[in-house]
Amino acid sequence: MTSPEQPTVVLPGEVRMPLLGFGTWQATGKAGYDAVLAALDAGYRHIDTATMYGNEREVGRAVKESGLRREDVFITTKLPPEAVGRERETIEASLAALDTDYVDLWLIHWPPTSAGEGIPVWRELLAARDEDMARAVGVSNHGISQIDELIQATEENPAVNQIRWSPALYDRQVHAAHRDRGVVLEGYSPLRATDLSDPVLVRIAAAHNASPAQVVLRWHIDHEIVVIPKSVHPERIRANADVFGFSLTAEEMRDIDALSG
């Protein structure tokens, strides 16, 4: 599905998810369309959007006009909290806006605010998956206890949990807890939550003839954590995609892990 140099992680149902994705939060209108087109041109094969972002139509148009086959682009969208009880209507609207028959991943964007709502919402996502509207389903911004509640009620693990993640936020126990449950960890705001002038990152970047931002993205990938940097600037979009020509040593990974200390 993706070019050989693009590493993927396998979700339930043999769904391959590229470890590098392109985030589209706040990228709306023509700027959003142009950014997604630039990202696909730069080699990204994984685009992350959400109903809440208000840009599914632009994302869908960019994918269609990129010249790529639909099956070669992994598309994620998300169910907003206010759509609890209207899950099917919401995924149908997302598919119409994206102009596609299915999404590759559909996530619960935030845990429902009312107690007891999480499990019925999760059952609706599973139903959408079983009807081939989504190839895989998961959650976002969920804690481990919330994930366990869903698993215990349905015996179905979320394929993915998308949470805020960066070297400064690294938590070995949280990472291990996801792995133990067969839930892929996906990190958003990887660069926003990082001090890119940190001497450790600057030193490692120099050793690989890379930028500190590229090192942060590679750190996610080498941990097999999906990462979705976002930008609307073509040169930065290209730079963020250029992370497959090097990998970090075990010692460098440990040094970056320690930045959360």
Side-chain angles (χ1 to χ4, degrees), residues 220-253:
H220 284 75
I221 291 165
D222 286 347
H223 265 311
E224 294 198 325
I225 293 170
V226 179
V227 64
I228 46 170
K230 62 170 285 284
S231 177
V232 294
H233 304 291
E235 66 285 354
R236 201 167 301 151
I237 289 169
R238 284 192 297 272
N240 288 343
D242 186 16
V243 291
F244 300 116
F246 70 100
S247 60
L248 303 174
T249 66
E251 185 180 1
E252 288 168 339
M253 291 291 286

Side-chain angles (χ1 to χ4, degrees), residues 15-215:
V15 176
R16 289 198 165 269
M17 181 181 193
L19 283 167
L20 177 70
F22 182 70
T24 65
W25 179 56
Q26 294 181 324
T28 55
K30 185 177 185 301
Y33 165 80
D34 288 344
V36 174
L37 210 52
L40 294 169
D41 185 59
Y44 291 88
R45 293 296 179 265
H46 168 186
I47 307 294
D48 180 271
T49 183
T51 296
M52 194 184 278
Y53 299 168
N55 61 10
E56 288 173 318
R57 201 164 298 283
E58 289 82 2
V59 167
R61 190 160 66 89
V63 170
K64 191 136 285 195
E65 293 178 11
S66 69
L68 294 164
R69 297 182 309 168
R70 169 65 187 89
E71 59 266 32
D72 290 337
V73 183
F74 187 102
I75 301 175
T76 300
T77 194
K78 309 180 194 81
L79 175 85
E82 64 272 15
V84 167
R86 293 184 290 107
E87 294 84 3
R88 188 181 182 93
E89 178 188 327
T90 304
I91 187 68
E92 286 175 351
S94 287
L95 296 177
L98 288 161
D99 194 14
T100 183
D101 294 332
Y102 67 94
V103 289
D104 298 277
L105 181 63
W106 192 30
L107 304 178
I108 301 172
H109 205 152
W110 291 89
T113 48
S114 299
E117 282 185 340
I119 292 163
V121 173
W122 179 232
R123 290 191 194 280
E124 289 295 327
L125 265 75
L126 294 171
R129 180 202 64 191
D130 292 345
E131 291 179 47
D132 298 325
M133 301 169 95
R135 295 174 71 217
V137 289
V139 297
S140 181
N141 299 300
H142 279 54
I144 294 299
S145 63
Q146 292 167 316
I147 289 172
D148 283 344
E149 191 177 272
L150 303 182
I151 295 171
Q152 283 157 13
T154 63
E155 296 185 347
E156 291 262 21
N157 300 18
V160 171
N161 185 23
Q162 185 185 116
I163 58 176
R164 202 157 175 262
W165 198 258
S166 73
L169 300 173
Y170 181 69
D171 185 320
R172 188 182 306 279
Q173 288 178 310
V174 169
H175 188 195
H178 282 80
R179 200 165 46 236
D180 292 347
R181 287 158 179 78
V183 178
V184 170
L185 184 57
E186 179 176 13
Y188 68 81
S189 296
L191 304 177
R192 181 186 289 254
T194 300
D195 175 8
L196 295 174
S197 65
D198 187 286
V200 170
L201 295 177
V202 171
R203 168 176 57 80
I204 293 171
H208 293 281
N209 196 26
S211 70
Q214 288 169 325
V215 166

